C-alpha cells in the first residue's frame, strides 16, 4: 500500500514536470510534490529557464507545512548556485525530513553530490522510484549532458507506400488534423527545427510552433549554395533563423543577413551535402538539447545515413500514391540484414493515420 502511494506521488511529480516541456531548456524538466501525513501539501514544477526550480515552488506552495514533510522530486536537487540558489540548501532550511528522487542529475556539478549533501545534513534520501519514466522524460537533457550533443528526432509523414509527396512534389496534406497537431507538439518540445533548402523552396514554411504563442524555435535551413530566397516566409515572423552553407558567396550571405538570418559555414561531403557533424556541433554550442528534423527526402535520407538520428516519428496515412517522392529514396541501399532498425517501438492511431515511434538501434 505504501509503495503504491509513493508511486502515485511520484507520478504526479512527473506530470507536473512535463508542464515545463519546451520552456526550460537547457535545464531538465523537474516536478516536485511535498507530502505530509499522507496528503499533498505543496506542488511545483520548473516552468521556465532562469525561473525558480520545482523544489522551491513546491516549498512556497506548502509554506510552514514543508517542515518534516517528504519531498517527491523527479530529479536529484541541485547543489550549486547558478541562475538560482542551490535547491539542497532550501530543502535543509525548510526542514524537509525526507527526499525521494526518481533519478540522479547527470550534470557533473551535481550527479550524486546533491544526495550526499542532504544526507550529511540529516535528510533521509532515496533514489530510483519511477526512475525509467523520469529518464525518458528528460532523455534530451541526459543526451545533451552525457554525450555532449543534441538528441536528434526525425519526423516524416508518408503514405503506405512510403511517399512524402506525389510526382509533382505536392505534399499538403498527406496526414490528417490529429497527426498534424502531434507534429506541432513535437515542435513544442524541440529547441531547433531543421529543413533543407528544397523544403523551403517547395513549401515556403514559417517553421513556427502553431500551438504556442511564446515558443521560439531556432529555425535551421541546410542550404549548401545559399539559394534560400530572402522573400520566403521564414523571415515574415520573429525568431532566429540559422542558415548552414558551404558556399562563400558574400553577396548572397548579406542578402539573407539583412532579412535577419545568421549564416554559418559547414563542410560539404563528396555528394555535395553538408556534413551533419558540423551542424550538430554548432547546435550543441548554441545549447540546443533537442533537434527536430523535418526536411524532405534529401535531408531525411542523409541524416539516417550519417547515423545521427536517435528517434523516428513516422506518420503513415492510409493512402497509396504510387511512384512519387519517397523519404528514403536517396539513402545508400542496404541489404536486409543491415537495415536501420527501430527498438522500443510503439504504434498510435491519430484519426485515420498511424504513428510509428521508435529509437534507432545502435549496436553496442
Amino acid at each position: 500500500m505504501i509503495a503504491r502511494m509513493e508511486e502515485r506521488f511520484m507520478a504526479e511529480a512527473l506530470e507536473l514536470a512535463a508542464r515545463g516541456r519546451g520552456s526550460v531548456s537547457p535545464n531538465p524538466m523537474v516536478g516536485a510534490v511535498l507530502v505530509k501525513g499522507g496528503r499533498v501539501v505543496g506542488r511545483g514544477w520548473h516552468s521556465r529557464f532562469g525561473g525558480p526550480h520545482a523544489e522551491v515552488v513546491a516549498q512556497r506552495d506548502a509554506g510552514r507545512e514543508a517542515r518534516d514533510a517528504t519531498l517527491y522530486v523527479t530529479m536529484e536537487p541541485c547543489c550549486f548556485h547558478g541562475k538560482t540558489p542551490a535547491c539542497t540548501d532550501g530543502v535543509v532550511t525548510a526542514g524537509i525530513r525526507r527526499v525521494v528522487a526518481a533519478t540522479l542529475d547527470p550534470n557533473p556539478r551535481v550527479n550524486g553530490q546533491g544526495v550526499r549533501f542532504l544526507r550529511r545534513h540529516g535528510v533521509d534520501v532515496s533514489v530510483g522510484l519511477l526512475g525509467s519514466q523520469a529518464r525518458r522524460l528528460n532523455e534530451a537533457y541526459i543526451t545533451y549532458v552525457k554525450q555532449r550533443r543534441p538528441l536528434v528526432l526525425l519526423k516524416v509523414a508518408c503514405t503506405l507506400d512510403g511517399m512524402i509527396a506525389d510526382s509533382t512534389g505536392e505534399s499538403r496534406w498527406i496526414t490528417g488534423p490529429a497527426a498534424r497537431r502531434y507534429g506541432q507538439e513535437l515542435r513544442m518540445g524541440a529547441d531547433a527545427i531543421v529543413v533543407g533548402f528544397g523544403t523551403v523552396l517547395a513549401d515556403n514554411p514559417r517553421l513556427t510552433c502553431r500551438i504556442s504563442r511564446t515558443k521560439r524555435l531556432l529555425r535551421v535551413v541546410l542550404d549548401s549554395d545559399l539559394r534560400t530566397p530572402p522573400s520566403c516566409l521564414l523571415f515574415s515572423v520573429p525568431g532566429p533563423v540559422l542558415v548552414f552553407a558551404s558556399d562563400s558567396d558574400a553577396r548572397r550571405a548579406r542578402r539573407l543577413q539583412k532579412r535577419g538570418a545568421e549564416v554559418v559555414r559547414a563542410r560539404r561531403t563528396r555528394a555535395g551535402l553538408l556534413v551533419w557533424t558540423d551542424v550538430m556541433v554548432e547546435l550543441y554550442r548554441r545549447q540546443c538539447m533537442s533537434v527536430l528534423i523535418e526536411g524532405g527526402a534529401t535531408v531525411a535520407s542523409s541524416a539516417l545515413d550519417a547515423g545521427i538520428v536517435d528517434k523516428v516519428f513516422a506518420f503513415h496515412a492510409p493512402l497509396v500514391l504510387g511512384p512519387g517522392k519517397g523519404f528514403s529514396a536517396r539513402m545508400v541501399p542496404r541489404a536486409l540484414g543491415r537495415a536501420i532498425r527501430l527498438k522500443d517501438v510503439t504504434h498510435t492511431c491519430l484519426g485515420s493515420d498511424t504513428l510509428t515511434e521508435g529509437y534507432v538501434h545502435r549496436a553496442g
Side-chain angles (χ1 to χ4, degrees):
M1 177 69 72
I2 294 176
R4 287 199 298 271
M5 184 177 296
E6 292 209 315
E7 286 188 0
R8 179 169 59 83
F9 292 139
M10 186 62 79
E12 182 175 353
L14 286 166
E15 290 177 2
L16 291 170
R19 297 184 185 184
R21 186 181 303 278
S23 60
V24 301
S25 179
N27 283 348
M29 292 175 278
V30 181
V33 173
L34 274 166
V35 177
K36 190 173 182 179
R39 65 184 181 88
V40 175
V41 296
R43 297 177 175 87
W45 67 93
H46 186 34
S47 62
R48 61 178 178 83
F49 178 66
H53 288 188
E55 300 93 323
V56 174
V57 178
Q59 288 166 39
R60 291 175 182 171
D61 187 39
R64 293 182 180 179
E65 291 287 339
R67 181 163 295 277
D68 295 326
T70 295
L71 172 67
Y72 294 85
V73 62
T74 57
M75 187 170 284
E76 171 188 18
C78 67
C79 54
F80 66 91
H81 194 295
K83 286 186 174 292
T84 59
C87 291
T88 48
D89 291 343
V91 169
V92 173
T93 302
I96 293 170
R97 178 179 295 180
R98 179 170 175 247
V99 171
V100 180
T103 184
L104 294 178
D105 185 340
N107 185 333
R109 299 178 70 182
V110 187
N111 200 16
Q113 296 180 65
V115 170
R116 289 191 288 273
F117 177 92
L118 293 172
R119 286 173 175 164
R120 284 199 305 269
H121 287 79
V123 180
D124 180 22
V125 183
S126 62
V127 180
L129 181 65
L130 301 189
S132 60
Q133 292 94 318
R135 288 186 290 274
R136 179 65 61 91
L137 177 69
N138 277 305
E139 59 188 358
Y141 172 76
I142 294 171
T143 300
Y144 178 80
V145 171
K146 297 182 73 172
Q147 300 186 36
R148 300 178 66 82
R149 66 174 181 83
L151 182 79
V152 180
L153 315 176
L154 173 63
K155 175 209 159 197
V156 293
C158 58
T159 62
L160 291 179
D161 50 345
M163 300 298 112
I164 61 173
D166 63 22
S167 58
T168 69
E170 180 63 39
S171 62
R172 292 185 178 181
W173 295 103
I174 285 178
T175 54
R180 297 201 296 273
R181 166 79 187 195
Y182 196 103
Q184 292 298 312
E185 292 176 3
L186 291 179
R187 290 187 182 186
M188 181 65 192
D191 297 314
I193 181 170
V194 180
V195 300
F197 159 75
T199 295
V200 173
L201 198 62
D203 297 340
N204 197 16
R206 292 179 175 85
L207 299 180
T208 56
C209 181
R210 294 191 291 274
I211 60 174
S212 171
R213 294 180 179 180
T214 59
K215 178 68 179 182
R216 289 292 181 265
L217 280 162
L218 174 60
R219 294 167 295 157
V220 180
V221 180
L222 308 183
D223 183 5
S224 298
D225 300 309
L226 287 175
R227 294 172 293 172
T228 297
S231 60
C232 69
L233 292 178
L234 277 174
F235 305 116
S236 68
V237 293
V241 177
L242 193 61
V243 179
F244 283 91
S246 60
D247 190 281
S248 58
D249 189 311
R251 181 181 60 84
R252 290 181 178 178
R254 282 196 301 271
R255 290 173 61 198
L256 294 177
Q257 288 163 351
K258 286 181 179 178
R259 294 290 285 147
E262 184 178 351
V263 179
V264 177
R265 293 290 300 277
R267 292 172 295 169
R268 190 194 298 247
T269 67
R270 291 182 179 179
L273 305 175
L274 294 176
V275 175
W276 273 109
T277 52
D278 289 359
V279 175
M280 291 302 148
V281 165
E282 180 62 23
L283 294 182
Y284 171 81
R285 189 185 72 80
R286 293 169 183 261
Q287 296 188 312
C288 292
M289 292 198 315
S290 176
V291 174
L292 176 63
I293 297 175
E294 280 198 14
T298 299
V299 170
S301 295
S302 64
L304 288 167
D305 276 335
I308 66 159
V309 176
D310 294 295
K311 195 172 185 179
V312 175
F313 295 84
F315 297 85
H316 298 278
L319 306 173
V320 176
L321 280 178
K325 295 186 177 181
F327 82 88
S328 63
R330 301 196 179 188
M331 286 184 66
V332 175
R334 286 171 167 78
L336 185 60
R338 295 180 60 83
I340 295 174
R341 297 182 183 274
L342 301 184
K343 62 181 181 179
D344 299 333
V345 175
T346 60
H347 303 283
T348 306
C349 289
L350 298 168
S352 61
D353 304 316
T354 303
L355 167 63
T356 297
E357 176 184 342
Y359 294 86
V360 175
H361 175 74
R362 292 187 174 95

